[in-house]
């Protein structure tokens, strides 16, 4: 994933580690950038599929 605020790339696993202290029961479905702390909505499944397909072609 790419942070919309700082522009750095990170994996969803890194974002989950950063956002463990969430008080929302069951999770808030947001992703938190491990570098700057910016929270954004989780990447949609079809977007993830397109991105991985593009990466495999490169």
């Amino acid at each position: 994933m790419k942070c919309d605020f700082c522009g750095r790339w990170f994996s969803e696993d890194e974002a989950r580690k950063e956002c463990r202290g969430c008080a929302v029961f069951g999770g808030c479905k947001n992703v938190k950038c491990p570098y700057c702390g910016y929270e954004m909505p989780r990447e949609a499944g079809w977007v993830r599929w397109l991105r991985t397909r593009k990466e495999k072609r490169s």
Side-chain angles (χ1 to χ4, degrees):
M1 295 191 72
K2 183 176 180 180
C3 178
D4 294 335
F5 187 72
C6 70
R8 294 183 74 177
W9 287 92
F10 60 92
S11 69
E12 248 186 85
D13 292 333
E14 291 174 314
R16 284 189 197 118
K17 289 177 190 173
E18 182 68 26
C19 200
R20 293 215 186 255
C22 187
V24 178
F25 181 73
C28 61
K29 307 291 188 239
N30 282 342
V31 176
K32 188 173 185 178
C33 176
Y35 301 107
C36 68
Y38 181 72
E39 290 187 21
M40 61 197 129
R42 186 178 300 161
E43 189 175 58
W46 64 272
V47 174
R48 188 177 318 119
W49 178 80
L50 284 173
R51 184 175 43 79
T52 56
R53 186 173 175 192
K54 180 181 175 185
E55 288 172 357
K56 286 180 183 178
R57 286 185 175 185
S58 300

